[in-house]
Amino acid sequence: MNQNPQNLKICYIGGGSRNWAWVFMRDLTYERELGGTIYLYDIDTEAARANEIIGNRLMEEHNRGQWKFRAEPSLERALEGADFVLISILPGDFSEMAVDVHEPERYGIYQSVGDTTGPGGLMRALRTIPQYQRLAQAIKQAAPDAWVLNYTNPMTLCTQTLYAEFPEIKAFGCCHEVFGTQKLLIKIMEKYGWVPKGTVHRKEIHTNVMGINHFTWIDRASWKHQDLFPLYQQFAREYAETGFDEGGDDNWMNNFFASCERVKIDLFNRFGLIAAAGDRHLAEFCPPRWYLESPEQVRYWKFTLTPVSFRIQQREELKKKSRAYQEGKETMPVHHSGEEGIRQMKALLGLGDLLTNVNLPNRGQMPDLPLGAVVETNAFFSRDSVQPVITKGLPAEIRTLVLHHLTQYQGILEAARERNLEKAYRVFLNDYQIQKLSPQDARELFTSMTTKTLPSLGEDWGGYR
């Protein structure tokens, strides 16, 4: 590892991002122990150049210039000798994502996110895996010793692809969904008078995490050695029908990313473990008749189907913000996101140990799931080391659901690496949501989705070039 934490090289793939890249920039303004140069690589070179200007201005204002941002149009030069590589990309564009999410609606299939599982997640994976194959090979050639932090969905398959292409890679997937559940536990403690409002930080909530990304489960949760499961059980009984709504304008009816936690509560009442992701993600991993049979059923469970039109509108607003930041007409507000990427890097540099949840190949930390499959558990970070925490595994009734998705992931990974559309279709046919269709309708949907999304990437997909 780099012996000088003030002279790091970080390669940010997807460096033109107006989401995760900006989050990372803002978090860096609080960091005083690290410094160096961040190389921003993006297929949209102008977006990367915009972030170079924005990032450097932000560092000059808030960080004494410890970090320099540099847009780099060459992936190889951006990677060469990097200490850390961050990846947050959108595979394709929102036009492809609109197909992922909305094309299945013509067949009565509804998705609340559409980027991890279900027909949308599987189609997104077919676009993403070839890109991650190339990224893995580029990292192998230019930065084989770098630590790689992946933020792209589908998280499990992106991380799995990196290891399939470059088994010695030092990569892990980062997701904040568990953080939201830890924050919910604090709200429950406040609700029942255990602690005054605003006095407990998320880091004080200790949870044992296990499962796969966006379908993670907690079998132990505590605060200062006090077991939180009895409290959560009381909460789940009280709010099973109404859901937990704090009120205000930012509720599930006004915010596409909010919910009343009814799916999470229902899963706890079914299985006895705390489902540790947002309701929109959790619902997609379950048989569709549970939560996603219709828009009316979604409203009953008090979460939302996020339309891609909203994401497109949000992108246009962020483009305007980017121009205003570049021209100095507006100043980017600074606040810490609560993400742990920088803390993870510091731990890997030997600047303090860290225990947190990450996605890694299964080397026994999930003894009931296939070895090598990417799973999400806690892991211990120390100098140049990430060691997953061993769990006792999931109850059989939850493991059955998880194994279905891991099997789907393995099939879609094989199909994508072989560029075999027929094999991909066979996997697609076994998806929980697709099983409600006749084989003829499933074939029509698959053909429509692949025809509309794969050719734009220029991949050799069974005749698509």
Side-chain angles (χ1 to χ4, degrees), residues 15-301:
S17 160
R18 302 173 192 91
N19 182 10
W20 283 111
W22 287 6
V23 168
F24 186 59
M25 288 177 185
R26 287 193 292 260
D27 286 354
L28 279 177
T29 64
Y30 292 88
E31 180 50 50
R32 296 294 180 265
E33 292 185 87
L34 305 181
T37 304
I38 299 169
Y39 288 73
L40 303 171
Y41 169 79
D42 202 294
I43 58 174
D44 184 347
T45 305
E46 290 306 312
R49 287 174 179 156
N51 276 353
E52 175 186 303
I53 295 168
I54 294 167
N56 286 331
R57 180 173 292 147
L58 200 64
M59 294 304 118
E60 289 168 5
E61 293 173 353
H62 298 282
N63 197 259
R64 303 193 302 273
Q66 287 179 222
W67 291 98
K68 299 295 182 185
F69 287 84
R70 174 178 168 181
E72 175 51 69
S74 165
L75 175 60
E76 289 71 23
R77 287 197 294 270
L79 281 170
E80 187 175 7
D83 300 294
F84 295 97
V85 179
L86 278 64
I87 313 176
S88 67
I89 65 172
L90 176 65
D93 201 305
F94 285 133
S95 58
E96 283 88 3
M97 190 175 186
V99 175
D100 295 345
V101 174
H102 299 303
E103 190 76 6
E105 292 175 356
R106 296 175 50 234
Y107 295 81
I109 294 172
Y110 299 94
Q111 300 168 100
S112 36
V113 186
D115 70 355
T116 300
T117 189
L122 297 179
M123 202 58 54
R124 182 182 174 110
L126 294 179
R127 299 195 303 275
T128 312
I129 289 168
Q131 297 181 59
Y132 266 66
Q133 289 182 279
R134 292 192 292 271
L135 292 178
Q137 290 301 323
I139 292 167
K140 182 178 181 178
Q141 294 301 317
D145 294 324
W147 280 99
V148 180
L149 289 69
N150 176 60
Y151 291 92
T152 305
N153 289 325
M155 174 69 66
T156 302
L157 275 169
C158 290
T159 309
Q160 189 91 49
T161 302
L162 293 174
Y163 278 92
E165 294 297 316
F166 178 19
E168 294 77 28
I169 198 169
K170 299 190 296 186
F172 53 89
C174 307
C175 181
H176 58 206
E177 291 293 315
V178 171
F179 303 168
T181 302
Q182 291 169 330
K183 292 175 183 176
L184 175 61
L185 288 167
I186 293 172
K187 291 177 183 177
I188 295 170
M189 292 167 62
E190 295 170 347
K191 165 77 179 169
Y192 290 105
W194 278 35
V195 296
K197 189 176 179 64
T199 60
V200 176
H201 191 276
R202 180 187 67 77
K203 297 172 188 174
E204 300 175 59
I205 305 299
H206 300 286
T207 54
N208 189 56
V209 177
M210 52 187 178
I212 57 176
N213 184 241
H214 292 159
F215 203 45
T216 42
W217 299 81
I218 292 171
D219 66 345
R220 296 195 304 276
S222 62
W223 172 71
K224 291 188 174 180
H225 306 294
Q226 297 187 64
D227 184 5
L228 296 178
F229 259 68
L231 188 66
Y232 195 91
Q233 189 173 40
Q234 179 182 350
F235 164 77
R237 284 196 304 265
E238 182 173 348
Y239 290 98
E241 296 300 323
T242 63
F244 182 62
D245 188 350
E246 296 180 278
D249 295 332
D250 196 27
N251 64 21
W252 72 276
M253 291 182 286
N254 300 316
N255 182 344
F256 284 119
F257 303 111
S259 78
C260 279
E261 315 291 357
R262 285 197 69 203
V263 173
K264 189 183 277 87
I265 290 169
D266 186 60
L267 289 172
F268 178 82
N269 289 332
R270 285 174 186 258
F271 298 119
L273 298 188
I274 298 173
D279 281 12
R280 293 161 57 253
H281 282 300
L282 293 170
E284 292 189 327
F285 282 85
C286 299
R289 294 189 68 178
W290 290 14
Y291 311 112
L292 283 167
E293 182 68 16
S294 67
E296 292 74 25
Q297 189 187 43
V298 170
R299 285 193 290 273
Y300 171 79
W301 288 102

